[in-house]
Amino acid sequence: MERQVRHLVIAAHPNTRSFNRAVVEAYTSELIERGHRVECRDLYAASFNPILSARDLAAMPSGKWAKDIKAEQAAIRRADVLTLISPLWWSGFPAMLKGYLDRVFCAGFAYVIKGGDYLPGLSGKKGAIITTSGATAEELKSGGTLRALRTIHDEGLMEFCGIEMVRHLYLSGIDPAMSRADGEQRLETVRRFVRRAF
């Protein structure tokens, strides 16, 4: 029997009734429906501390990380696929997710420094990012935001750490006043992505 693929979904939106949360539910439900194992980490619900402290920095060379960092790293190690789901705020990740990455994706874990070279520490894993944005796809493209996100998130984060990017899915034009049909259309895009990619 083929081994189940293990997914870790990192969710970062403070509003449990947001469209972003609906995306998390659609994504994880479709994975489970297809027989995958899914672990979801809601950073806000977990009250994850996103502040990289001087103590955290001092512990990095020795690998004596804080317990909450070790717990997140253990979850990443267990996963075959890592997915980040968050809104786009000020052309980047929310502070909660950025702080998570600063603290958890540290040297000695996500990457290794040897003789001045930076070597990936998470090779063999696959990754996906789902970003929701109020801006339209054309606005994100014409302003250069899409290219910047690919450089920073896909290449500078995932690929730098050795994670093979499956896709960065952008759900644009998200508006609290959008119709149920428009929302469902975007959620179906998420489900279709899961069906095609996994």
Side-chain angles (χ1 to χ4, degrees), residues 98-112:
K98 179 62 169 68
Y100 173 92
L101 296 169
D102 287 346
R103 293 189 71 217
V104 176
F105 277 54
C106 53
F109 171 70
Y111 63 96
V112 179

Side-chain angles (χ1 to χ4, degrees), residues 8-197:
L8 176 64
V9 177
I10 305 296
H13 197 294
N15 185 353
T16 59
R17 300 182 67 183
S18 67
F19 180 76
N20 200 272
R21 176 54 63 89
V23 169
V24 172
E25 291 175 0
Y27 186 76
T28 56
S29 295
E30 191 67 28
L31 285 171
I32 293 169
E33 180 72 21
R34 295 180 62 77
H36 296 269
R37 293 176 59 185
V38 181
E39 182 177 358
C40 186
R41 314 286 270 202
D42 182 330
L43 299 183
Y44 286 93
S47 297
F48 180 81
N49 175 12
I51 299 173
L52 178 66
S53 68
R55 187 174 188 174
D56 291 334
L57 279 174
M60 284 185 186
S62 65
K64 295 179 180 178
W65 302 300
K67 287 182 179 180
D68 61 340
I69 294 176
K70 288 182 178 180
E72 298 304 322
Q73 291 174 341
I76 293 169
R77 284 193 185 96
R78 289 192 296 269
D80 301 305
V81 182
L82 173 66
T83 302
L84 308 177
I85 302 179
S86 76
L88 180 69
W89 288 344
W90 292 107
S91 300
F93 288 137
M96 175 63 86
L97 181 54
K98 179 62 169 68
Y100 173 92
L101 296 169
D102 287 346
R103 293 189 71 217
V104 176
F105 277 54
C106 53
F109 171 70
Y111 63 96
V112 179
I113 305 172
K114 285 189 177 178
D117 292 327
Y118 289 78
L119 306 176
L122 298 175
S123 299
K125 298 184 184 298
K126 293 187 177 183
I129 302 174
I130 302 178
T131 303
T132 59
S133 173
T136 66
E138 184 53 40
E139 287 169 337
L140 292 173
K141 185 176 181 180
S142 64
T145 302
L146 287 184
R147 178 62 255 177
L149 292 176
R150 281 194 292 271
T151 300
I152 296 168
H153 297 167
D154 304 11
E155 299 165 14
L157 171 66
M158 294 292 208
E159 292 173 9
F160 178 81
C161 297
I163 300 172
E164 178 189 344
M165 274 297 290
V166 176
R167 185 179 178 189
H168 192 150
L169 177 64
Y170 302 94
L171 299 173
S172 57
I174 305 303
D175 185 323
M178 69 182 175
S179 68
R180 178 181 287 271
D182 285 344
E184 182 53 39
Q185 183 180 43
R186 287 166 173 79
L187 294 178
E188 183 54 33
T189 297
V190 172
R191 298 184 192 102
R192 189 165 58 247
F193 163 52
V194 172
R195 292 193 292 269
R196 290 177 176 174

